[in-house]
Every structure is written in C-alpha cells, then in structure tokens.
Amino acid sequence: MNSIFLRGPSLHIKLVFALALSVGLIVFDHVFDGFATTRVYFNSVVSPIQYLANLPSEMLNASASRLVSHQQLLEENAELQHNAVILNGKLQRFVLLQEENDRLRRLLNTPVRGDIRKEVAELMAVDNNPYSHQIVIDRGAIQGVYEGQPVIDDKGIVGQIMQVGSTNSRVLLISDVTHAIPVRVARNNIRMVVSGSGSLNDLIIQHVPHSADVKEGDLLLSSGLGNVFPEGYPVARITSIVRDEGRPFAQINAEPVALLDRLKYLLLLWPNNLVGPEQTVPEVEQ
C-alpha cells in the first residue's frame, strides 16, 4: 500500500515545475497581456468577498465614530448649559444694575430749586413695627443730616428725618399716623393738611369743607408752610371724596405719589433757609 503513495515525481521536481510554470505565465501575461479578461473576471468574483471581509471593520469604525461624536455632543451640550447659566446670571445682574442706574438718573434729575443742596442716600433697613412707618438710611451727622430734613424719591416726598446718628439716620414716612404735611391742590391752590393713615398706600385729608373745590385725581403739592418741606414737591393724589352732610367735613383719601413700599435710593434736601447759624452743611455735588 505504501508503495502506491510514493509513486510519481518528487516534491523538488514538482516545486521546480510550479516555479517554471509561474514564471512562464507571468512573462506571457506581461508580454502578451493574455490574462486581462481573466483578471477582470476574478476581481469581480473576489470584490464581494473583500467587501464582506471589510464590513466588520467598517461597522466597528462607524460605531466608534458615533460613540465619539455622541460623547462630544454631550460634553458640548454640558458646556453650553454651563455657559448659559453663567450668562443668565450676568444678564440678571446687568438688568438690576440698569434698573438702579435708571432710578439714580431719575432721582438726580428731580427738579430742585437752585437754593437747595441735595445728596443721594440708600435704604439700609425698614422698621418692622406695624404701627410705625420708619426706615433707616446710610447718611448721618457726618454728612450734615439734621432732624426734620426733607427726604424725597424720584416721584415725590417720602418723609422727614426723625433721628440722626453719626453714619445713619431714621426717616419718618408721610404714611405714619403721627405725620402730617401741609399741601395745596395744584389745580386751584386750595390749602389743606395731609396726614398718615398707617397704610403705605393711603393718606387722610381732614377738616375739608363740603363746598371745597376738590376732585378725585387732583395732585397735591407741598405748600412750603411750616418751613420743613420745600414748596412745590408732589405729595399725593386724591383717590376718593365722600361728602356726607351728616358729618361736618368731607372724607377725603389720597395715595402717596412716592413709592413708599419700593424705596431704594432717596434724595436728601438742604434748603438754605432751614440751616441755622449754628448748623453747617457740607458741600455736596450738584
């Protein structure tokens, strides 16, 4: 049996024959281009196999690219959200600064007579006593603040200085039940007195005859009587009038022009005629 499988040319001869055949075919193809059609055919047959062989690699590359892109998108989205939060915070701060700047501009542009000095003060605290309407500002005796000094905002009269410290002062608002201010009707100069009612949005006008020519909506200005508040500053606007013949006087209510529940910056006034010989007032910027 073994002699049968050992028959035939040896391996060396077969190798030499194969090499010679290969060299001959290469020369034949190079010289005569005899296998051009055959190569095209084999390339067409092998191309799908090559595509299938490369498909797993292409799929892995595509998946990896998508994972990288997805991770990049997540990181970029997180960074954009972070930047958006920071920018929104800055925007809110800018809006607040813009509002404060507008308030200060309106306050400093408040018409003031030429013989009146002025200085801006800022609210420090609000009295939590429900029966007393007082606030604390950041100006005191060092800045020349004195008791009874008028205080206004960009809308109208707020109140007057009640107590003075070295660096801060207490202001009594016009809405306090103990406060009263002489006023006149801007339309016809009728004089009356406006008193606080204990409510920030309501003032009381007492001892006005039924026949007095006053109307709802009339603007009340400081009259200058009493030498406390300069003349001509807005105080309140009449909101209701009740003429009950069973009462000796009309019941009149008014709303303060100043925004007493939203105070932030205030203006202190130094009328020259209110400064005594023993009291000096520091120079302040106009």
Side-chain angles (χ1 to χ4, degrees), residues 210-267:
H210 294 292
S211 59
D213 181 16
V214 291
K215 300 178 181 180
E216 293 184 6
D218 276 345
L219 178 64
L220 305 179
L221 306 176
S222 56
S223 65
L225 299 179
N227 293 329
V228 175
F229 295 97
E231 181 182 2
Y233 282 90
V235 177
R237 192 176 295 276
I238 295 178
T239 55
S240 67
I241 302 174
V242 177
R243 291 184 170 89
D244 185 359
E245 297 299 333
R247 296 176 179 269
F249 300 103
Q251 294 178 290
I252 304 178
N253 293 79
E255 182 179 9
V257 173
L259 303 177
L260 302 181
D261 58 342
R262 284 170 280 179
L263 297 175
K264 176 64 175 177
Y265 295 105
L266 304 168
L267 199 64

Side-chain angles (χ1 to χ4, degrees), residues 34-274:
F35 295 101
T37 305
T38 305
R39 282 200 304 272
V40 173
Y41 172 76
F42 277 111
N43 286 335
S44 301
V45 173
V46 174
S47 178
I49 299 175
Q50 292 177 337
Y51 176 78
L52 291 175
N54 292 332
L55 184 60
S57 176
E58 295 292 336
M59 294 178 64
L60 289 175
N61 291 336
S63 299
S65 177
R66 290 179 181 177
L67 288 176
V68 172
S69 300
H70 181 67
Q71 183 64 28
Q72 290 177 347
L73 289 175
L74 290 177
E75 294 176 356
E76 291 178 359
N77 185 54
E79 184 178 0
L80 289 175
Q81 289 180 348
H82 178 72
N83 293 337
V85 172
I86 295 177
L87 291 176
N88 285 335
K90 291 182 178 180
L91 180 60
Q92 293 174 11
R93 180 61 177 169
F94 290 153
V95 171
L96 175 62
L97 292 176
Q98 182 64 43
E99 292 177 352
E100 291 188 352
N101 185 50
D102 293 339
R103 284 197 294 266
L104 284 172
R105 286 182 180 274
R106 290 194 300 269
L107 189 61
L108 292 175
N109 289 332
T110 302
V112 179
R113 293 196 322 233
D115 60 343
I116 294 181
R117 296 185 177 93
K118 58 182 178 179
E119 182 174 341
V120 176
E122 188 172 358
L123 179 70
M124 291 181 60
V126 178
D127 197 336
N128 57 6
N129 185 350
Y131 302 103
S132 178
H133 291 185
Q134 300 179 20
I135 60 174
V136 179
I137 60 175
D138 64 345
R139 293 292 185 273
I142 295 178
Q143 290 80 23
V145 179
Y146 60 91
E147 292 186 6
Q149 184 173 6
V151 181
I152 68 173
D153 69 356
D154 59 312
K155 303 295 183 181
I157 291 179
V158 170
Q160 63 186 94
I161 299 296
M162 180 180 180
Q163 296 176 354
V164 180
S166 58
T167 58
N168 56 48
S169 301
R170 186 173 291 270
V171 179
L172 183 68
L173 301 182
I174 60 174
S175 58
D176 190 272
V177 293
T178 63
H179 191 277
I181 174 175
V183 299
R184 62 180 176 84
V185 179
R187 180 171 54 86
N188 53 20
N189 288 328
I190 292 180
R191 300 185 184 277
M192 54 189 69
V193 176
V194 173
S195 303
S197 67
S199 172
L200 291 174
N201 298 318
D202 187 42
L203 301 175
I204 301 173
I205 305 173
Q206 298 177 333
H207 308 109
V208 178
H210 294 292
S211 59
D213 181 16
V214 291
K215 300 178 181 180
E216 293 184 6
D218 276 345
L219 178 64
L220 305 179
L221 306 176
S222 56
S223 65
L225 299 179
N227 293 329
V228 175
F229 295 97
E231 181 182 2
Y233 282 90
V235 177
R237 192 176 295 276
I238 295 178
T239 55
S240 67
I241 302 174
V242 177
R243 291 184 170 89
D244 185 359
E245 297 299 333
R247 296 176 179 269
F249 300 103
Q251 294 178 290
I252 304 178
N253 293 79
E255 182 179 9
V257 173
L259 303 177
L260 302 181
D261 58 342
R262 284 170 280 179
L263 297 175
K264 176 64 175 177
Y265 295 105
L266 304 168
L267 199 64
L268 297 171
L269 305 180
W270 280 270
N272 286 342
N273 59 351
L274 295 183

Side-chain angles (χ1 to χ4, degrees), residues 1-15:
M1 295 294 295
N2 293 335
S3 62
I4 297 176
F5 293 100
L6 294 175
R7 294 175 182 176
S10 65
L11 293 177
H12 295 286
I13 297 174
K14 293 179 179 178
L15 177 61

